[in-house]
Amino acid sequence: MPHGLSKTVATALPGLWYCLHLPAALSDLVDVDAWMLKAAQSLRLDHNILLVPIDCFDEVLLGYHLQHHHPVVAICPDELLDEARQRASSLGFVLPTTPYSELCDATLTAQWDAMHEHFIPDLPALTGEVSLTRRLDLAALTLPHRRLARQMGWPTAELAVQDGTSVSGVLAQVLNGQTRLAAVARLEREGASHSEAGRRYPQTVREEAARLRVPVALGLPGVAPAYARNAYDAELRRRTGTQPAVDPDDTWSVTLHERPDHMVERAAVEFAVTHQAVASSGLGLMLPTVPPEAFVILAELERHFLTTHSSAAVRRLLTRLNDAAQPLWSKEVMVAIQRASYLTVFSDFPLGLLTMPGDSAPLCARLPVTYRPLDPLTRTVQQQVVAPPGLSLNHTIKVLVAECIPVSDPVGRISRGGWSLARETAAPQASNLTIIQDETLTLQALQQSVAEHRPDILVISAHGTMIGNMAALVIGDTPHLDLGLTRMPPVVMLSACHVAPRGSGAVAITDLLLREGALAVLGTQVPVEVTRNAILMGRFLVYLAEEIANPGQFATILEVWHHVQTSNAVHDILDGSPSLKAWASSVTISGHSVIAEFKSNRASGRLRPPHVYEDTEYVLGEIADEQGQGDRVRNWFRRPGYVPESLFYVFAGRPDRIYLSSLEQQVEQAHPGR
């Protein structure tokens, strides 16, 4: 309770946590250059942990999988030791099978030494202490830092995190370590000699501290009250308490799965966050449980979009949502976000829709945000340990637009027109982007089209609908939650309304597609206007094609999406009313239309992501002043106003693992010339 972690998977938690302390790659076993450690933040070298029932631990089911990996060590509860040892031996595992009762610092040290001796005995072993983490609530901060410290030759003892330790102090040490890494990596990339590096190091540290950006993972527990009422009886709900961000009693042991349910689930969420933080060589934090009132207001906001919505009402609801979620914004969380290159949020609450104190635009405008759903938590743990390899789309991208709305439907006609326009817009990059439109008015037609075209990106143009507490896609005239595709494309974009609602805790098609094998799924929280949606999706594809043709601006599709989502603020504003639409086409003193003048001449370098709507209004107001219409246009911004519709999209899964260049190119960018 309340996230649905099964008791069986809970039993695996001591072993899963132990695995995070083992090497993730051979490079962990030896001394490597600092620039390589910094580059690993974009390469994301996950631990590959195979979580299987003992009955499935055999050649028939795992043989093919293990052909592509190095089976190193099996870990199991003590009562399974004899059987697990026999099965591991037949599968070629390198080290002796380890029962829970032997999981300790001495075993950990011995296994690091044994792995080095087995795989790379001719290279000097990395020195420094390895030991198990005690505090699980801070492990997403301390464990990545301790691994970095061992590589850099810093003291490797666990950060001083006693019961009264300030989390701010731990975070400061972690960020200081990341800054020092960035400084050394930069000096290495620039080829500085030892003496020159010593002279330049203090200034380089100051410069890197000012621009430091690292991947950040956040754990945000909590379920929507509406979901809890459907899933659990009153007695169970009364037993469900809230979780603080920090809990000194949250410690590791080989019996941690025997703790009370809420502490077991906490350990599972923390494991997922720590696994992500270690893989990205970044940092992670736990947040307190989402206040139930925040889910209630979010559900009200999502319902508001089902009717004719007003800008003023949306603004009021967003303000109420921010007020309800105020307890989430600790000083440590805000500091981490200010240093984040992107966020991975383990939650069923859309944190990116909140506005961080000091900002004027929601968090998803400040930086890229991707989500990993928490419900059911069993599935979250399973998907987190199965680390998919990074996918490079550094070739011609094939996009299949599956038209699931009949042409007799006005929305279907507009959608087809919008995608035809997108194809024309993408024409200059036609050699890098292929857009195929196909009529798929039945589930079978959709399945056949995907099997035939094998797209990199599948766009499903459909209506969204609610079936009880489930957000489904309507294909033709039939709702579907399971698409049953024999080959799931890595990226699925749902050009449909209300397919990722979060306020009611609905089972969403976006999450189900991740379970079916999609690497990343883009969906909408609310009903969106079909023409605006087509423009937004079309811009996304055009920027993808441009990046493939002229690489260097964006590393992943998550970064492309964030740029498109944020730069769409001007369209949100100018599409807010007929008056603003008409004014956008009017001629400025330079002879360009307002929208062309804004994009070509005025906006460059002036739009701050945390204030993108505020800054866009300011620049548009300047143009209006030159026309003598400043007061009138600014009044239109307020009455009837506009809705920041572009921010009501969520990207779930691993869009940060879908690269727009090869891994070799990324390494070259990290250290030119090597």
Side-chain angles (χ1 to χ4, degrees), residues 37 56 289 342 396 465 531 535 574 595 605 618:
L37 298 176
C56 298
T289 302
Y342 71 97
T396 298
T465 189
T531 303
I535 292 173
L574 295 177
I595 186 66
Y618 184 85

Side-chain angles (χ1 to χ4, degrees), residues 21 60 105 123 128 130 141 163 184 226 239 252 257 272 285 329 349 371 400 444 488 501 508 586 609 619 625 648 652:
H21 296 76
V60 174
D105 290 349
L123 295 178
V130 292
L141 277 177
D163 290 350
V184 175
R239 288 164 46 191
W252 185 87
H257 57 292
L285 285 170
W329 296 115
F349 184 83
Y371 294 94
L400 172 62
Q444 183 180 18
M488 179 64 70
S586 66
V619 174
D625 285 338
F648 287 88

Side-chain angles (χ1 to χ4, degrees), residues 339-543:
R339 293 300 187 184
S341 55
Y342 71 97
L343 292 181
T344 302
V345 182
F346 291 84
S347 183
D348 295 308
F349 184 83
L351 183 70
L353 199 57
L354 301 180
T355 299
M356 193 168 75
D359 292 354
S360 61
L363 184 61
C364 62
R366 171 183 269 272
L367 78 171
V369 180
T370 182
Y371 294 94
R372 308 276 177 84
L374 281 185
D375 280 311
L377 189 50
T378 292
R379 183 70 67 174
T380 303
V381 172
Q382 291 172 327
Q383 291 186 324
Q384 185 62 30
V385 298
V386 181
L391 175 66
S392 296
L393 294 181
N394 59 328
H395 52 76
T396 298
I397 299 175
K398 183 187 292 186
V399 180
L400 172 62
V401 180
E403 296 285 3
C404 300
I405 306 174
V407 71
S408 58
D409 186 322
V411 173
R413 291 196 299 273
I414 296 173
S415 173
R416 286 165 176 78
W419 284 110
S420 295
L421 178 61
R423 292 175 66 179
E424 294 175 8
T425 305
Q429 307 295 341
S431 61
N432 299 303
L433 180 70
T434 301
I435 300 178
I436 302 167
Q437 286 180 268
D438 204 359
E439 297 292 318
T440 55
L441 299 181
T442 66
L443 180 59
Q444 183 180 18
L446 175 63
Q447 294 168 343
Q448 291 175 344
S449 184
V450 173
E452 176 186 350
H453 296 292
R454 301 177 65 85
D456 302 299
I457 299 175
L458 171 63
V459 179
I460 302 179
S461 178
H463 285 303
T465 189
M466 295 296 295
I467 308 173
N469 197 42
M470 298 181 290
L473 284 175
V474 179
I475 301 176
D477 56 4
T478 306
H480 291 279
L481 280 165
D482 183 357
L483 300 186
L485 302 179
T486 55
R487 177 193 177 274
M488 179 64 70
V491 184
V492 180
M493 301 170 63
L494 300 180
S495 183
C497 293
H498 210 229
V499 289
R502 296 301 186 199
S504 62
V507 177
I509 182 69
T510 49
D511 300 343
L512 297 178
L513 287 171
L514 293 175
R515 299 184 199 178
E516 287 193 54
L519 200 56
V521 181
L522 181 70
T524 57
Q525 285 180 251
V526 299
V528 292
E529 201 276 325
V530 60
T531 303
R532 296 177 196 167
N533 176 73
I535 292 173
L536 188 64
M537 296 287 193
R539 292 183 64 232
F540 174 67
L541 296 178
V542 168
Y543 273 100

Side-chain angles (χ1 to χ4, degrees), residues 28-29 105 108-110 112-113 125-131 146-147 149-157:
D28 289 339
L29 295 167
D105 290 349
L108 184 66
T109 300
W112 274 78
D113 293 342
L126 189 65
T127 60
E129 176 190 358
V130 292
S131 59
R146 289 168 58 203
R147 297 172 71 91
R150 192 166 187 262
Q151 282 282 357
M152 297 294 288
W154 305 332
T156 54

Side-chain angles (χ1 to χ4, degrees), residues 65-87:
H65 177 84
L66 293 178
Q67 288 177 6
H68 303 279
H69 297 83
H70 295 290
V72 177
V73 63
I75 297 171
C76 66
D78 285 43
E79 63 269 20
L80 299 179
L81 176 59
D82 290 341
E83 185 176 359
R85 178 184 288 147
Q86 181 179 356
R87 290 172 179 259

